[in-house]
Every structure is written in C-alpha cells, then in structure tokens.
Amino acid sequence: SAKRLGRNHSLRFRPALDKQDNPQLALVSDLRAALVSGDQLELHYQTQHNPSSGELAGMEALLRWRHPRDGMISPGDFIPLAERHGLMAELGTWVIEKACAQQAHWQNSGMPNTTVWINISALQLFQGDLESQLAGCLKRYRLRPAQIGLELTESVLLDERAGDMGPRLKALSDQGFPIAIDDFGTGYSSLGYLKRLPVDKVKLDRAFIRELPESQADSAIVKAVLAMAEGMGLDVVAEGVETKEQCQFLVDAGCGIVQGFYFARPLLVPELEAQWLRDSPGRAEASLAAQSTS
Ligand code: C2E
Ligand code: MG
Ligand code: MG
Ligand code: MG
C-alpha cells in the first residue's frame, strides 16, 4: 500500500542521512525507539554484601541498553545522551517502574527482603515529578518505601541548576525512601551538605578502593570517611571491591557493606536468582514453598 511504501521510503532515507550527519543523533533516535519498544532495555542487578559474613545487604539496579546493531551500550555513554536530548525523564520512569515490578515479584516469591537501590539522575530530580511517580509505583506494587532506595551523586545535589535540593530530597526522605550519596568523594569538596541533607548512606567511590590496601593515601581516606560516617550515623558502602585483600582491609576498617566484582557482577534476573538459590538452600526451599502455594 501507499502507506507502507511511504514508511519504507522514510526508513531508507532519513535515518541514513542523520547517521552520516551525526552519529549521535542516530543513536538518540534509536534510543527513542528503544523506549517505545522497551525490549532493548534491561535492568541488571548487583548485590551488596556484609564483607565478613557475605550476607546480602542490598541490591543496585543498573541500566543496560542492548542495541540491536551496536551491542551492549554502557549507561555511562547513553545516559548523558538521554539527558541532553530530553529522554531522561522517560528513561528514569522506565527504570523506576521496572525496578519496582521486580522488587514486588521478589517479595511475592519469598526472596530475601532487601532494598533495591535505583540511580536517580539530575534531571529526574530537577524536573520530574519524582515524589508522585514513586508514590504511584509503591501503591501499584504494594511496596514499602524502605524497599526502594535512591542513589544520587554529589554532583546532582550540588548542581547549581538545582538551586536548593534540600526540600526536594527531604520530601523523598520523609516519604520513607532511603537516600544514598553515590560516588562519594569524587564530586565536590564540601562536606557541609551531609549535615544539611537527609542522607542515610554514602557510597565510597571505587577510585578510593582500587589501590587498597597498598595506597596509604586511600587507606587514610577510607578510614576517615568510615569514622566520619560512624559519628554521623551514616552507613557506608564501598564500591568496586574486586579483591580479597580489598575486602579484608574493609572488614578490618569496619566498613559494613561492600559491592563489587569480588562478590558479584551485575547480573540479569535469571542469573541472579540461580545464584541465590544455589548459595542459599534454606532460602531456596522457602522460595519454592512460596511459589507452590501461590
Ligand atoms: P554507579 O551508580 O556508581 O554504579 C556502579 C558502577 O560500577 C556500575 O557501572 C557497575 O557495573 C560498576 N562496578 C560494580 N562493581 C565493580 C567492580 O568491582 N569493578 C569495576 N571496575 N566496576 C564495578 P555501570 O553499570 O556501567 O554504570 C555506570 C554508571 O551509570 C552508574 O554508576 C550510574 O551512575 C549510571 N547508571 C546506571 N544505571 C542507571 C540508571 O538506571 N539511571 C541513572 N540515572 N544512572 C544509571
Ligand atoms: Mg549507583
Ligand atoms: Mg556508584
Ligand atoms: Mg561509581
């Protein structure tokens, strides 16, 4: 039909021209399409652990884009693109929706009760209606706010476009969502905001973990952050823990939670569940029992 011809026509010429002119624009239109279809986007989950017992201490949702032609694209590459081209609100909504649905599924199938942490971008906090969006998801999926944590980077909180993020963050914290500062120590050299803002947790950036235990400077920084956090009643998560030696250092220094390849890589849900069932036979039985009665 004429309609089909027309579509083929535009498919053949327009994107090809865009791509030649500007590969980024082609990627933006691909991302727009991915948001419509939904099936190229994935959330992977990376577990967090108590470093001495190995016990599960939380889970971070990490966004992935499986591009049909270019393969896996890292969030570090497409999230800035989404922000620049007005797609971040929609992408953020997709992540919140997907993570809440997954958390609800886990809660209903007898998986351990743990917080699923979501990364929140600057634009979601500045422009979006985050509070009501999150409240809507909680209601729809019958979740408690403690089951969904929000990770924000220092640069988000201190971005001057934002004006005062205090009230915005306080509203979320008052709703009961745990708040973590991501990439702590890399953003901005001010500690004053920790006093003003309702923060529950800091995530020590992996830049400070990488050269542990050899680096004296990093050892000192990590210990100082742990001491400060303890004095303020904040939890600390060490990011990017890759080796046994790093983990042991963090145990000795009194760090409560670690996240990194040493314990687990970010995994797709089926892989994660398989690991769970394998590592915790007691839980596996509980989970199977829950499934067979539902
Ligand atoms: P992030 O929130 O600091 O996430 C941690 C990053 O470190 C992840 O990279 C994770 O895969 C990686 N990582 C974890 N353990 C290790 C380790 O032991 N060694 C090393 N070398 N890396 C480790 P990823 O998934 O590429 O994400 C990069 C960043 O993209 C995230 O940093 C976060 O800022 C952003 N991001 C990811 N998903 C989302 C999302 O859904 N929304 C928003 N707004 N940002 C997201
Ligand atoms: Mg994060
Ligand atoms: Mg981080
Ligand atoms: Mg980081």
Side-chain angles (χ1 to χ4, degrees):
S1 73
K3 209 170 162 187
R4 256 183 92 175
L5 250 182
R7 225 182 107 224
N8 285 341
H9 205 72
S10 74
L11 270 182
R12 187 175 304 150
F13 294 108
R14 277 225 312 272
L17 273 180
D18 278 352
K19 218 172 98 189
Q20 274 175 4
D21 289 351
N22 186 343
Q24 289 235 315
L25 274 188
L27 209 55
V28 171
S29 77
D30 289 353
L31 184 54
R32 211 165 264 134
L35 272 165
V36 172
S37 79
D39 56 7
Q40 296 166 27
L41 298 171
E42 297 171 357
L43 282 185
H44 291 208
Y45 294 87
Q46 188 176 30
T47 51
Q48 302 173 340
H49 300 264
N50 174 313
S52 47
S53 68
E55 198 184 332
L56 185 72
M59 190 114 66
E60 178 173 10
L62 293 161
L63 184 58
R64 299 287 181 265
W65 179 15
R66 206 180 284 274
H67 191 282
R69 196 187 51 244
D70 301 346
M72 202 66 107
I73 304 180
S74 131
D77 292 330
F78 69 86
I79 283 173
L81 205 65
E83 292 202 322
R84 272 202 305 282
H85 291 89
L87 294 174
M88 195 56 227
E90 214 181 320
L91 202 56
T93 300
W94 187 90
V95 169
I96 290 172
E97 178 71 30
K98 196 82 178 172
C100 288
Q102 186 60 58
Q103 174 66 301
H105 173 79
W106 279 330
Q107 293 315 308
N108 294 331
S109 55
M111 291 298 187
N113 184 10
T114 193
T115 303
V116 171
W117 294 85
I118 305 175
N119 291 285
I120 300 293
S121 89
L123 291 182
Q124 285 175 278
L125 202 59
F126 301 163
Q127 305 172 343
D129 192 5
L130 202 54
E131 292 98 308
S132 64
Q133 198 185 328
L134 284 163
C137 269
L138 291 190
K139 202 166 165 201
R140 229 163 338 110
Y141 291 108
R142 298 164 190 270
L143 293 169
R144 285 174 290 109
Q147 293 171 317
I148 299 292
L150 308 176
E151 295 194 3
L152 301 123
T153 61
E154 289 182 322
S155 52
V156 169
L157 295 178
L158 302 166
D159 192 316
E160 61 233 1
R161 288 174 296 173
D164 189 3
M165 280 303 16
R168 207 65 210 280
L169 207 61
K170 188 168 181 305
L172 291 166
S173 176
D174 287 347
Q175 272 180 277
F177 295 103
I179 310 282
I181 304 298
D182 208 347
D183 304 342
F184 182 75
T186 59
Y188 190 81
S189 54
S190 163
L191 294 173
Y193 75 89
L194 277 184
K195 194 171 76 174
R196 286 188 292 110
L197 298 178
V199 172
D200 302 291
K201 185 175 264 189
V202 297
K203 299 191 74 179
L204 250 176
D205 194 76
R206 72 165 183 270
F208 302 112
I209 309 302
R210 197 179 294 131
E211 288 163 42
L212 291 180
E214 290 82 16
S215 162
Q216 275 200 25
D218 290 332
S219 306
I221 290 170
V222 169
K223 285 179 185 163
V225 170
L226 286 166
M228 178 193 72
E230 182 169 18
M232 295 180 70
L234 301 174
D235 291 331
V236 176
V237 181
E239 293 191 300
V241 177
E242 294 183 351
T243 69
K244 191 176 170 188
E245 290 71 28
Q246 290 166 349
C247 190
Q248 188 58 54
F249 177 94
L250 291 160
V251 169
D252 296 341
C255 180
I257 307 172
V258 296
Q259 176 179 350
F261 299 167
Y262 178 61
F263 278 102
R265 290 184 173 259
L267 296 172
L268 277 166
V269 170
E271 297 169 330
L272 181 66
E273 289 177 350
Q275 194 176 70
W276 236 328
L277 298 178
R278 198 181 59 227
D279 292 351
S280 347
R283 288 212 183 95
E285 277 162 34
S287 158
L288 290 175
Q291 274 167 19
S292 66
T293 56
S294 65

